[in-house]
Tab-separated table of all heavy atoms in Angstrom:
chain	number	residue	atom	x	y	z
S	1	LEU	N	11.001	-89.048	-41.581
S	1	LEU	CA	10.651	-88.442	-42.858
S	1	LEU	C	11.862	-88.453	-43.794
S	1	LEU	O	11.704	-88.444	-45.037
S	1	LEU	CB	10.141	-87.024	-42.633
S	1	LEU	CG	9.481	-86.314	-43.821
S	1	LEU	CD1	8.254	-87.092	-44.278
S	1	LEU	CD2	9.107	-84.871	-43.468
S	2	GLY	N	13.055	-88.457	-43.242
S	2	GLY	CA	14.260	-88.531	-44.084
S	2	GLY	C	14.644	-87.195	-44.680
S	2	GLY	O	15.311	-87.152	-45.718
S	3	ALA	N	14.262	-86.085	-44.033
S	3	ALA	CA	14.587	-84.764	-44.563
S	3	ALA	C	16.063	-84.445	-44.291
S	3	ALA	O	16.721	-85.077	-43.494
S	3	ALA	CB	13.671	-83.692	-43.940
S	4	ILE	N	16.563	-83.436	-45.010
S	4	ILE	CA	17.932	-82.952	-44.829
S	4	ILE	C	17.897	-81.424	-44.667
S	4	ILE	O	16.955	-80.746	-45.107
S	4	ILE	CB	18.855	-83.309	-45.940
S	4	ILE	CG1	18.349	-82.709	-47.317
S	4	ILE	CG2	18.998	-84.834	-46.079
S	4	ILE	CD1	19.297	-82.877	-48.459
S	5	ALA	N	18.901	-80.883	-43.985
S	5	ALA	CA	19.048	-79.412	-43.862
S	5	ALA	C	20.184	-78.956	-44.740
S	5	ALA	O	21.265	-79.598	-44.787
S	5	ALA	CB	19.308	-79.057	-42.407
S	6	VAL	N	19.950	-77.863	-45.484
S	6	VAL	CA	20.958	-77.338	-46.413
S	6	VAL	C	21.135	-75.844	-46.196
S	6	VAL	O	20.146	-75.100	-46.041
S	6	VAL	CB	20.554	-77.620	-47.881
S	6	VAL	CG1	21.605	-77.062	-48.845
S	6	VAL	CG2	20.365	-79.118	-48.122
S	7	PHE	N	22.384	-75.371	-46.186
S	7	PHE	CA	22.700	-73.959	-46.046
S	7	PHE	C	23.020	-73.355	-47.406
S	7	PHE	O	23.904	-73.866	-48.117
S	7	PHE	CB	23.944	-73.779	-45.181
S	7	PHE	CG	23.819	-74.216	-43.725
S	7	PHE	CD1	24.075	-75.511	-43.397
S	7	PHE	CD2	23.467	-73.292	-42.756
S	7	PHE	CE1	23.984	-75.917	-42.106
S	7	PHE	CE2	23.383	-73.685	-41.422
S	7	PHE	CZ	23.642	-75.012	-41.082
S	8	PRO	N	22.319	-72.306	-47.832
S	8	PRO	CA	22.799	-71.569	-49.003
S	8	PRO	C	23.854	-70.573	-48.512
S	8	PRO	O	23.641	-69.865	-47.527
S	8	PRO	CB	21.547	-70.819	-49.495
S	8	PRO	CG	20.682	-70.694	-48.289
S	8	PRO	CD	21.040	-71.817	-47.342
S	9	GLY	N	25.047	-70.575	-49.135
S	9	GLY	CA	26.030	-69.694	-48.586
S	9	GLY	C	27.274	-69.588	-49.392
S	9	GLY	O	27.400	-70.158	-50.500
S	10	ALA	N	28.276	-68.889	-48.850
S	10	ALA	CA	29.556	-68.701	-49.490
S	10	ALA	C	30.638	-68.852	-48.392
S	10	ALA	O	30.362	-69.064	-47.247
S	10	ALA	CB	29.657	-67.302	-50.098
S	11	ARG	N	31.939	-68.733	-48.840
S	11	ARG	CA	33.053	-68.980	-47.943
S	11	ARG	C	33.272	-67.861	-46.944
S	11	ARG	O	33.895	-68.008	-45.916
S	11	ARG	CB	34.316	-69.233	-48.727
S	11	ARG	CG	34.424	-70.615	-49.303
S	11	ARG	CD	35.786	-70.843	-49.901
S	11	ARG	NE	35.946	-72.259	-50.319
S	11	ARG	CZ	36.371	-73.207	-49.470
S	11	ARG	NH1	36.634	-72.920	-48.224
S	11	ARG	NH2	36.505	-74.439	-49.910
S	12	LYS	N	32.807	-66.649	-47.269
S	12	LYS	CA	33.061	-65.514	-46.407
S	12	LYS	C	31.804	-64.641	-46.352
S	12	LYS	O	30.927	-64.706	-47.219
S	12	LYS	CB	34.246	-64.691	-46.885
S	12	LYS	CG	34.105	-64.149	-48.332
S	12	LYS	CD	35.377	-63.425	-48.769
S	12	LYS	CE	35.250	-62.875	-50.152
S	12	LYS	NZ	36.458	-62.149	-50.573
S	13	PRO	N	31.685	-63.776	-45.303
S	13	PRO	CA	30.516	-62.942	-45.158
S	13	PRO	C	30.342	-61.962	-46.312
S	13	PRO	O	31.322	-61.612	-47.032
S	13	PRO	CB	30.791	-62.176	-43.838
S	13	PRO	CG	31.793	-63.036	-43.136
S	13	PRO	CD	32.638	-63.664	-44.163
S	14	GLN	N	29.115	-61.496	-46.498
S	14	GLN	CA	28.839	-60.447	-47.481
S	14	GLN	C	29.453	-59.136	-46.982
S	14	GLN	O	29.906	-59.017	-45.826
S	14	GLN	CB	27.304	-60.307	-47.656
S	14	GLN	CG	26.599	-61.555	-48.090
S	14	GLN	CD	27.010	-61.962	-49.503
S	14	GLN	OE1	27.116	-61.141	-50.393
S	14	GLN	NE2	27.237	-63.254	-49.699
S	15	GLU	N	29.390	-58.109	-47.837
S	15	GLU	CA	29.942	-56.820	-47.464
S	15	GLU	C	29.280	-56.241	-46.237
S	15	GLU	O	29.903	-55.482	-45.466
S	15	GLU	CB	29.860	-55.847	-48.623
S	15	GLU	CG	30.753	-56.215	-49.823
S	15	GLU	CD	30.690	-55.182	-50.929
S	15	GLU	OE1	29.956	-54.192	-50.752
S	15	GLU	OE2	31.345	-55.412	-51.940
S	16	ASP	N	28.003	-56.561	-46.005
S	16	ASP	CA	27.304	-56.038	-44.849
S	16	ASP	C	27.540	-56.904	-43.612
S	16	ASP	O	26.953	-56.657	-42.554
S	16	ASP	CB	25.814	-55.911	-45.121
S	16	ASP	CG	25.147	-57.238	-45.442
S	16	ASP	OD1	25.844	-58.273	-45.433
S	16	ASP	OD2	23.938	-57.256	-45.734
S	17	GLY	N	28.361	-57.944	-43.724
S	17	GLY	CA	28.684	-58.783	-42.598
S	17	GLY	C	27.806	-59.991	-42.374
S	17	GLY	O	28.035	-60.790	-41.480
S	18	THR	N	26.762	-60.143	-43.200
S	18	THR	CA	25.873	-61.267	-43.071
S	18	THR	C	26.528	-62.551	-43.582
S	18	THR	O	27.296	-62.517	-44.535
S	18	THR	CB	24.566	-61.019	-43.805
S	18	THR	OG1	24.853	-60.799	-45.222
S	18	THR	CG2	23.818	-59.819	-43.240
S	19	PHE	N	26.191	-63.675	-42.932
S	19	PHE	CA	26.826	-64.948	-43.273
S	19	PHE	C	25.902	-66.103	-42.897
S	19	PHE	O	25.385	-66.130	-41.783
S	19	PHE	CB	28.177	-65.093	-42.569
S	19	PHE	CG	28.952	-66.306	-43.002
S	19	PHE	CD1	29.464	-66.395	-44.265
S	19	PHE	CD2	29.171	-67.335	-42.094
S	19	PHE	CE1	30.213	-67.514	-44.652
S	19	PHE	CE2	29.899	-68.474	-42.475
S	19	PHE	CZ	30.412	-68.561	-43.757
S	20	LEU	N	25.744	-67.031	-43.830
S	20	LEU	CA	24.868	-68.175	-43.610
S	20	LEU	C	23.579	-67.767	-42.920
S	20	LEU	O	23.201	-68.277	-41.869
S	20	LEU	CB	25.592	-69.241	-42.773
S	20	LEU	CG	26.775	-69.964	-43.442
S	20	LEU	CD1	27.242	-71.096	-42.524
S	20	LEU	CD2	26.444	-70.460	-44.781
S	21	GLN	N	22.855	-66.888	-43.642
S	21	GLN	CA	21.610	-66.349	-43.047
S	21	GLN	C	20.519	-67.388	-42.984
S	21	GLN	O	19.597	-67.262	-42.123
S	21	GLN	CB	21.162	-65.164	-43.861
S	21	GLN	CG	22.041	-63.913	-43.748
S	21	GLN	CD	21.508	-62.788	-44.596
S	21	GLN	OE1	21.709	-62.733	-45.795
S	21	GLN	NE2	20.823	-61.865	-43.953
S	22	ASP	N	20.549	-68.361	-43.889
S	22	ASP	CA	19.423	-69.316	-43.954
S	22	ASP	C	19.882	-70.735	-43.828
S	22	ASP	O	21.042	-71.074	-44.131
S	22	ASP	CB	18.684	-69.125	-45.297
S	22	ASP	CG	18.007	-67.761	-45.397
S	22	ASP	OD1	17.203	-67.426	-44.525
S	22	ASP	OD2	18.349	-67.050	-46.348
S	23	CYS	N	18.982	-71.555	-43.366
S	23	CYS	CA	19.163	-73.014	-43.345
S	23	CYS	C	17.785	-73.593	-43.618
S	23	CYS	O	16.820	-73.304	-42.912
S	23	CYS	CB	19.676	-73.483	-41.988
S	23	CYS	SG	19.958	-75.277	-41.925
S	24	PHE	N	17.659	-74.356	-44.700
S	24	PHE	CA	16.348	-74.871	-45.122
S	24	PHE	C	16.291	-76.402	-45.015
S	24	PHE	O	17.297	-77.070	-45.190
S	24	PHE	CB	16.075	-74.464	-46.547
S	24	PHE	CG	16.013	-72.966	-46.783
S	24	PHE	CD1	16.959	-72.306	-47.528
S	24	PHE	CD2	14.956	-72.245	-46.192
S	24	PHE	CE1	16.907	-70.938	-47.713
S	24	PHE	CE2	14.906	-70.867	-46.420
S	24	PHE	CZ	15.880	-70.229	-47.156
S	25	VAL	N	15.076	-76.887	-44.738
S	25	VAL	CA	14.841	-78.335	-44.642
S	25	VAL	C	14.228	-78.786	-45.928
S	25	VAL	O	13.182	-78.297	-46.364
S	25	VAL	CB	13.970	-78.681	-43.439
S	25	VAL	CG1	13.723	-80.165	-43.373
S	25	VAL	CG2	14.606	-78.200	-42.138
S	26	LEU	N	14.872	-79.774	-46.589
S	26	LEU	CA	14.466	-80.287	-47.893
S	26	LEU	C	14.234	-81.794	-47.834
S	26	LEU	O	14.767	-82.478	-46.936
S	26	LEU	CB	15.512	-79.976	-48.965
S	26	LEU	CG	15.556	-78.598	-49.604
S	26	LEU	CD1	16.057	-77.550	-48.593
S	26	LEU	CD2	16.471	-78.588	-50.823
S	27	PRO	N	13.513	-82.339	-48.828
S	27	PRO	CA	13.343	-83.806	-48.862
S	27	PRO	C	14.678	-84.485	-49.162
S	27	PRO	O	15.553	-83.953	-49.850
S	27	PRO	CB	12.377	-84.006	-50.055
S	27	PRO	CG	11.733	-82.699	-50.275
S	27	PRO	CD	12.729	-81.649	-49.881
S	28	ASP	N	14.826	-85.672	-48.609
S	28	ASP	CA	16.008	-86.496	-48.906
S	28	ASP	C	16.022	-86.771	-50.414
S	28	ASP	O	15.011	-86.990	-51.052
S	28	ASP	CB	15.922	-87.813	-48.126
S	28	ASP	CG	17.193	-88.634	-48.330
S	28	ASP	OD1	18.263	-88.079	-48.564
S	28	ASP	OD2	17.097	-89.889	-48.243
S	29	GLY	N	17.204	-86.730	-50.985
S	29	GLY	CA	17.347	-86.972	-52.423
S	29	GLY	C	17.275	-85.700	-53.246
S	29	GLY	O	17.357	-85.734	-54.490
S	30	SER	N	17.084	-84.563	-52.606
S	30	SER	CA	17.043	-83.289	-53.323
S	30	SER	C	18.348	-83.033	-54.030
S	30	SER	O	19.458	-83.287	-53.519
S	30	SER	CB	16.766	-82.120	-52.363
S	30	SER	OG	15.460	-82.193	-51.825
S	31	THR	N	18.267	-82.531	-55.263
S	31	THR	CA	19.435	-82.248	-56.055
S	31	THR	C	19.806	-80.757	-55.974
S	31	THR	O	19.009	-79.951	-55.454
S	31	THR	CB	19.222	-82.632	-57.537
S	31	THR	OG1	18.166	-81.762	-58.044
S	31	THR	CG2	18.794	-84.087	-57.691
S	32	ALA	N	20.928	-80.429	-56.545
S	32	ALA	CA	21.344	-79.012	-56.584
S	32	ALA	C	20.307	-78.188	-57.348
S	32	ALA	O	19.975	-77.054	-56.901
S	32	ALA	CB	22.715	-78.909	-57.259
S	33	GLU	N	19.753	-78.727	-58.418
S	33	GLU	CA	18.721	-78.001	-59.165
S	33	GLU	C	17.447	-77.865	-58.339
S	33	GLU	O	16.771	-76.834	-58.388
S	33	GLU	CB	18.442	-78.681	-60.521
S	33	GLU	CG	17.533	-77.904	-61.391
S	33	GLU	CD	17.361	-78.517	-62.787
S	33	GLU	OE1	17.354	-79.770	-62.854
S	33	GLU	OE2	17.279	-77.760	-63.765
S	34	ASP	N	17.063	-78.945	-57.636
S	34	ASP	CA	15.892	-78.870	-56.759
S	34	ASP	C	16.068	-77.738	-55.762
S	34	ASP	O	15.122	-76.973	-55.478
S	34	ASP	CB	15.694	-80.177	-56.016
S	34	ASP	CG	15.322	-81.346	-56.905
S	34	ASP	OD1	14.730	-81.093	-57.964
S	34	ASP	OD2	15.624	-82.484	-56.517
S	35	PHE	N	17.265	-77.613	-55.222
S	35	PHE	CA	17.522	-76.585	-54.222
S	35	PHE	C	17.390	-75.202	-54.875
S	35	PHE	O	16.825	-74.268	-54.259
S	35	PHE	CB	18.938	-76.769	-53.642
S	35	PHE	CG	19.274	-75.834	-52.521
S	35	PHE	CD1	18.348	-75.535	-51.559
S	35	PHE	CD2	20.554	-75.277	-52.456
S	35	PHE	CE1	18.689	-74.674	-50.488
S	35	PHE	CE2	20.896	-74.409	-51.419
S	35	PHE	CZ	19.946	-74.114	-50.445
């Protein structure tokens, strides 16, 4: 299918300690705006 996995995130955990909570599968060729 040619899908890719992308993490929404930051360099360090949030104040509550959460970090890289999500990982989403998107179509190949997805842009930053698509995301």
Side-chain angles (χ1 to χ4, degrees):
L1 192 60
I4 60 173
V6 179
F7 296 86
R11 282 187 172 274
K12 59 183 180 179
Q14 302 294 317
E15 291 183 2
D16 61 1
T18 58
F19 186 67
L20 292 188
Q21 291 180 280
D22 296 303
C23 181
F24 298 112
V25 179
L26 280 70
D28 185 28
S30 293
T31 64
E33 187 175 36
D34 292 334
F35 186 41

